[in-house]
Coordinates of all heavy atoms in Angstrom, one line a residue:
V125 N -20.2 -83.2 -36.5 CA -19.1 -84.2 -36.6 C -18.6 -84.7 -35.2 O -18.3 -85.8 -34.9 CB -18.0 -83.8 -37.5 CG1 -17.1 -82.7 -36.8 CG2 -17.1 -84.9 -37.9
L126 N -18.7 -83.7 -34.2 CA -18.2 -84.1 -32.9 C -19.1 -85.2 -32.3 O -18.6 -86.1 -31.6 CB -18.2 -82.8 -32.0 CG -17.9 -83.1 -30.5 CD1 -16.5 -83.5 -30.3 CD2 -18.2 -81.9 -29.7
I130 N -16.5 -88.2 -33.7 CA -15.4 -88.1 -32.8 C -15.7 -88.6 -31.4 O -15.0 -89.4 -30.9 CB -14.9 -86.6 -32.8 CG1 -14.4 -86.2 -34.2 CG2 -13.7 -86.5 -31.7 CD1 -14.0 -84.8 -34.4
L131 N -16.7 -88.0 -30.8 CA -17.0 -88.3 -29.4 C -17.2 -89.8 -29.1 O -16.5 -90.3 -28.1 CB -18.2 -87.5 -28.9 CG -18.3 -87.3 -27.4 CD1 -17.0 -86.6 -26.9 CD2 -19.5 -86.4 -27.1
M134 N -13.8 -91.7 -29.2 CA -12.9 -91.2 -28.2 C -13.3 -91.7 -26.8 O -12.4 -92.0 -26.0 CB -12.8 -89.7 -28.2 CG -12.2 -89.1 -29.4 SD -10.4 -89.6 -29.6 CE -10.0 -88.8 -31.1
L156 N -4.2 -87.6 -21.7 CA -3.8 -86.2 -22.1 C -3.6 -86.1 -23.6 O -3.5 -85.0 -24.1 CB -2.5 -85.9 -21.3 CG -2.7 -85.7 -19.8 CD1 -1.4 -85.4 -19.1 CD2 -3.7 -84.6 -19.5
F157 N -3.4 -87.2 -24.3 CA -3.3 -87.1 -25.7 C -4.7 -87.1 -26.4 O -4.9 -86.4 -27.3 CB -2.5 -88.3 -26.2 CG -2.4 -88.4 -27.7 CD1 -1.5 -87.6 -28.4 CD2 -3.1 -89.3 -28.5 CE1 -1.3 -87.6 -29.7 CE2 -3.0 -89.3 -29.8 CZ -2.1 -88.5 -30.5
I158 N -5.6 -87.9 -25.8 CA -7.0 -88.0 -26.4 C -7.8 -86.8 -26.2 O -8.6 -86.3 -27.0 CB -7.7 -89.3 -25.9 CG1 -6.9 -90.5 -26.5 CG2 -9.1 -89.3 -26.3 CD1 -7.4 -91.8 -25.8
L159 N -7.8 -86.3 -24.9 CA -8.7 -85.1 -24.6 C -8.5 -83.9 -25.5 O -9.5 -83.3 -25.9 CB -8.6 -84.8 -23.1 CG -9.2 -85.8 -22.2 CD1 -9.0 -85.4 -20.7 CD2 -10.7 -85.9 -22.5
P160 N -7.2 -83.5 -25.7 CA -7.1 -82.3 -26.6 C -7.6 -82.6 -28.0 O -8.1 -81.7 -28.7 CB -5.6 -82.1 -26.7 CG -5.1 -82.7 -25.4 CD -6.0 -83.8 -25.1
L161 N -7.6 -83.8 -28.5 CA -8.1 -84.1 -29.8 C -9.6 -83.9 -29.8 O -10.2 -83.4 -30.8 CB -7.8 -85.6 -30.2 CG -6.4 -85.9 -30.5 CD1 -6.2 -87.4 -30.8 CD2 -5.9 -85.1 -31.7
M162 N -10.3 -84.3 -28.7 CA -11.7 -84.1 -28.6 C -12.0 -82.7 -28.5 O -13.0 -82.2 -29.1 CB -12.2 -84.9 -27.3 CG -12.2 -86.4 -27.5 SD -12.6 -87.3 -25.9 CE -14.2 -86.6 -25.5
C163 N -11.3 -81.9 -27.7 CA -11.6 -80.5 -27.5 C -11.3 -79.7 -28.8 O -12.0 -78.7 -29.1 CB -10.7 -80.0 -26.3 SG -11.2 -80.7 -24.8
S164 N -10.2 -80.0 -29.5 CA -9.9 -79.3 -30.7 C -10.9 -79.4 -31.8 O -11.1 -78.6 -32.7 CB -8.5 -79.7 -31.2 OG -8.6 -81.0 -31.8
S165 N -11.7 -80.5 -31.8 CA -12.7 -80.7 -32.8 C -14.0 -79.9 -32.5 O -14.8 -79.8 -33.4 CB -13.0 -82.2 -32.9 OG -13.6 -82.6 -31.7
T166 N -14.1 -79.4 -31.3 CA -15.3 -78.6 -31.1 C -15.2 -77.2 -31.6 O -16.2 -76.5 -31.8 CB -15.6 -78.5 -29.5 OG1 -14.5 -77.9 -28.9 CG2 -15.8 -79.9 -29.0
G167 N -14.0 -76.7 -31.8 CA -13.8 -75.3 -32.2 C -13.8 -75.1 -33.6 O -14.2 -75.2 -34.6

Side-chain angles (χ1 to χ4, degrees):
V125 73
L126 174 68
I130 296 170
L131 201 59
M134 293 296 177
L156 292 176
F157 180 76
I158 292 171
L159 287 179
L161 291 176
M162 290 171 57
C163 294
S164 69
S165 64
T166 61

